[in-house]
Amino acid sequence: MITVILVSFWNLSVKTSVRKSTEESGEEDSEEEPKLKYERLSNGVTEILQNDAASCMTVHDKFLALGTHFGKVFLLDIQGNVTQKFEISSVKINQISLDESGEHVGICSEDGKVRSRRSSPLATDPWVVALHPQFTRSNYKQFVTGGNKLLLYEKNWLNRWKTSLLHEGEGTITNIQWRANLIAWANNVGVKIYDISTKQRITNVLRDNVSLRPDMYPCSLCWKDNTTLIVGWGTSIKICVVKERNPTEMRDLPSRYVEIVSAFDTEFFISGLAPLADQLVTLYFVKENSEQMDEEFRARPRLDIIQPLPESCEEISSDALTVRNFQDNECRDYRLEHSEGESLFYIISPKDIVVAKERDQDDHIDWLLEKKKYEEALMAAEISFKNIKRHDVQKIGMAYINHLVEKGDYDSAARKCQKVLGKNMELWENEVYRFKTIGQLKAISQYLPRGDLRLRPAIYEMILHEFLKTDYEGFAMLIRQWPGELYNNLAIVQAVSDHLKRDPTNSTLLTTLAELYTYDQRYDKALEIYLKLRHKDVYQLIHKHNLFSSIEDKIVLLMDFDKEKAVDMLLDNEDKISVNRVVEELADRPELLHVYLHKLFKRDHHKGQKYHERQIGLYAEYDRPNLLPFLRDSTHCPLEKALEICQQRNFVEETVFLLSRMGNCRRALQMIMEELGDVDKAIEFAKEQDDAELWEDLISYSIDKPPFITGLLNNIGTHVDPILLIHRIKEGMEIPNLRDSLVKILQDYNLQVRHSGGMVSYSTLISHAVFVLLATNAI
């Protein structure tokens, strides 16, 4: 005997609130992140199931409707609190059907009567019931019941129920699901679909596992959408799509047909199905063989997410669920219901209801933290910080830092502080003291705030003192990196000075002290240290802080350190340090004075003119190669003094230049010939002076020197009458390359004669040339 009761929920107040997290039901620990999270439906449900057992449940977006073995129906909020209770029958509730509005419910029990809200009988022999999804609308007051027959109930215009037989003769109908205009039901033979709009039965999907008792392994039906039906029976799953038939092919066929787009077998028995996007959520009843007793026993049910394929499926995730009393349950004792709005899945068993939900970003972070994947957890929180509700980016970061500290990876932990602690100065100081406690102040020192936001000066001073005790180089690096205003400069200067008393020549400490003096604008003290150390930054310090008045008595030190840089700096800043002052300071260091005056002369030949006389001796002593250029370029050099110095030092080239400049060209030529023995230079000198007497002196000096004669023969033709030389060449003298030299003279002279027209002289020259060749046996 079975009863169907229709109840209207007009003006029903359903309490909704946020679900509290309770005990997790999936117990398997895996390195693969689960797709779903689980919690038990508790509160009122716990009390109900202590004294009764769940038989079925249906889900609405706003509430749950739970049926029990003792014939009661409870309306629950999403936390499991009872909001309303119905005493329907004294026997098991088989199915509860809701319309889409949630305002009407159809309840089917096993006492054999169908009643209205006022308990007036409507039908007999139903097993299951389904309301029209739009039942709340007056023209859709319809529902179907299933027992040995499938009956359709409709209200007519007299407000009476009219009954129509849709199907019979294939055994007990165990499941009905109504979606839009399509009604799907399962009986002993298979699954049928009926189109209420055309009043046509569309298809018959046969049952595969005919050896299984349909009452023990009932069919699971679930509409994914208005045209897609998912069928699970035994170990078989089929996905059926209702399609419109081509009108030209209809004839006597229904206007719609079903295409099975996916069909495959599973390892376990199906207790429930639900869609999840393009995937499926499957509830499996599991029976396993005992290896010891060679008998079957019931294992925990499994909730799997699978990806259907045309002839198989791919497992996405699988969770074994510890539901209460699972050892006593059969396949028919489990149900899987889902809420389409929130992707919530309810696993119903007689003594337990477990809710499965897609894991959100908070759950993802939970799992990462549980697996100690802190870096990934922090990244996930940063990316989704607007969406996470239970987690805080900074707290995750702190957990990561703690983990790194526990591992002993202090540098990574300190580096993360920069990102995690951000502008929270209190957290920063706490971390600094923690690093001090574990002896790792050095690790965190590189990452402390040093911009607009900064810690108390005492924090930075504590770290500097720590470095000063054990690591001078690290201390110096921090002083260079940290702005001087981070800490009390005087206190650190005093600390460094104390250390220098024990190690007065330590260059690292001295350099650092100079930098501290610079931060404190005590530039004189910094400059003194830099000069003492010959530090490369001394020139930058002078320029940057305009310390020229402080270096007037330190010019020698600067020159000793780097002459070129010092001189360039002094010459570039003559307005700050005069030439006279520099010369005065370098008076006792003539080699340095020469470098300075030489560069001054190079820049301007007139600026240091009063020092030109002194420069003669300086060039002679330290830089002879530049003496002659100086003598040539200077117009303020006293020639007599210069000649005296050059003669004393036997500087022939310089003496020759001075003699010629003073008008004593014959003496200059004599020195070239006698001291240098350089015929080419002598000839060049004679050419420059263009004086006949000098040529006569040169010929007279050269006449007994064959190499000189060769040189004269090669160069004299265009300056002096070559006959003057040729007719003085002695008979029998061996002169190198004489013939070639005479030929060159004749060629040069021929050109001159042609231009001047003097053929007589040319003939005379030829005769003299021939004579010389004969006299010297050159032909």
Side-chain angles (χ1 to χ4, degrees), residues 616-630:
I616 298 169
L618 294 173
Y619 276 112
E621 182 68 24
Y622 303 109
D623 188 12
R624 185 188 170 188
N626 280 312
L627 174 57
L628 187 56
F630 172 73

Side-chain angles (χ1 to χ4, degrees), residues 658-673:
L658 290 169
L659 287 172
S660 65
R661 189 168 175 182
M662 295 170 69
N664 195 349
C665 295
R666 299 189 72 179
R667 175 60 185 147
L669 179 63
Q670 182 182 359
M671 287 191 69
I672 294 172
M673 294 185 295

Side-chain angles (χ1 to χ4, degrees), residues 105-119:
V105 61
I107 305 168
C108 181
S109 68
E110 293 186 350
D111 64 0
K113 296 179 182 179
V114 176
R115 301 176 184 274
S116 68
R117 185 182 180 192
R118 297 178 181 175
S119 300

Side-chain angles (χ1 to χ4, degrees), residues 3 48 120 123 131 240 299 389 484 515 577 732:
T3 299
I48 293 169
S120 56
L131 298 184
C240 309
K389 299 178 178 66
E515 291 173 356
I577 302 180

